[in-house]
Amino acid sequence: EPEILRTSLASVILQMLSLGFGDITSFPFLTKPDSRGVKAAFDLLLELGAVRPGRGHAAAHTLTDLGREISRLPIDPRFARMLIEARRVGVQRDVLAIVAGMSIQDVRERPEERREEADRLHARFVDPTSDFVTLLNLWNHLQEQQATLGSSAFRRLCRSEHLNYVRVREWVDVHRQLRTLVGAPRGDKRTDDATADPDDLHRAILSGLL
């Protein structure tokens, strides 16, 4: 199928609005997207605060200042919204790691023959109140180990802890790219060694998961 029929249209519509393409419903797509998909995309953008509602017609939707900011980040608008809110709340550093982790396939593996061992190793990072904090705990562990181990030793560590090394590298790469896009995090509410307030983390994440 053409990508326009497979992809989330929210990013597409956001970019079209930012480029001033006009009435999206009458745009001459080679393969026209489904009208339900267009409506769902506008509904999401409205929830995120990226567009202002029109008067019963999609062409009347206009970008907000927040929408322009979201459109500058070439990632899923929901993730972009989280990063913008994280900067406002003061937890951008940690939300960057969480968003990067959510945008790739889970690095944790559970091979059939060693499932109990994998679960025991992965349980070290589990926060019983939040999968997001669990992901952050895993990220912090990997960062600490990568800083102290050579590349071969780090690869062996990932294998022994049932973590997919290729996906771990992808997580690091995506994080680095996102950090470059948003700039170095500033104004976090704690020192480098302190843990962010989980309420602040979840407030930022929820802004993109309404």
Side-chain angles (χ1 to χ4, degrees):
E1 282 192 312
E3 186 176 5
I4 196 70
L5 299 181
R6 292 184 282 110
T7 189
S8 166
L9 290 176
S11 295
V12 177
I13 288 175
L14 192 65
Q15 293 303 319
M16 292 178 72
L17 287 172
S18 69
L19 293 169
F21 277 26
D23 184 357
I24 290 162
T25 59
S26 63
F27 185 81
F29 290 104
L30 291 176
T31 306
K32 193 174 182 65
D34 185 85
S35 60
R36 290 171 298 179
V38 173
K39 181 184 183 303
F42 273 115
D43 287 345
L44 173 61
L45 294 174
L46 281 167
E47 282 185 1
L48 297 178
V51 298
R52 295 185 187 88
R55 296 183 177 179
H57 195 267
H61 286 82
T62 56
L63 275 184
T64 62
D65 290 341
L66 179 59
R68 293 191 185 283
E69 202 169 354
I70 292 173
S71 72
R72 295 190 188 105
L73 295 174
I75 56 176
D76 186 301
R78 293 168 296 181
F79 291 154
R81 181 69 183 88
M82 293 177 199
L83 293 178
I84 292 168
E85 186 67 14
R87 184 182 61 206
R88 188 188 70 79
V89 175
V91 290
Q92 190 177 63
R93 186 187 68 182
D94 289 336
V95 174
L96 268 170
I98 293 169
V99 165
M102 288 195 293
S103 66
I104 65 166
Q105 191 172 350
D106 195 340
V107 301
R108 291 165 290 192
E109 295 183 325
R110 299 178 72 228
E112 187 69 37
E113 67 281 5
R114 304 181 72 179
R115 184 162 292 181
E116 288 187 9
E117 180 186 38
D119 288 345
R120 176 175 52 80
L121 289 167
H122 298 163
R124 294 173 298 160
F125 315 115
V126 171
D127 184 300
T129 67
S130 172
D131 289 340
F132 300 117
V133 176
T134 296
L135 197 61
L136 180 61
N137 291 340
L138 176 56
W139 168 261
N140 289 335
H141 167 71
L142 289 168
Q143 290 291 288
E144 291 168 4
Q145 296 302 314
Q146 191 170 23
T148 58
L149 299 174
S151 58
S152 297
F154 181 67
R155 185 190 290 264
R156 288 194 297 272
L157 173 87
C158 289
R159 189 184 307 117
S160 68
E161 296 187 350
H162 300 292
L163 303 170
N164 186 295
Y165 177 76
V166 173
R167 292 180 204 155
V168 168
R169 292 300 311 161
E170 185 182 5
W171 193 357
V172 172
D173 289 342
V174 171
H175 177 272
R176 181 169 57 246
Q177 292 164 15
L178 289 177
R179 184 172 182 181
T180 300
L181 285 168
V182 301
R186 299 185 190 83
D188 280 13
K189 293 180 177 178
R190 73 259 185 264
T191 63
D192 285 347
D193 295 328
T195 303
D197 184 335
D199 285 347
D200 289 338
L201 282 178
H202 292 111
R203 191 171 294 113
I205 292 167
L206 280 169
S207 70
L209 295 176
L210 298 172

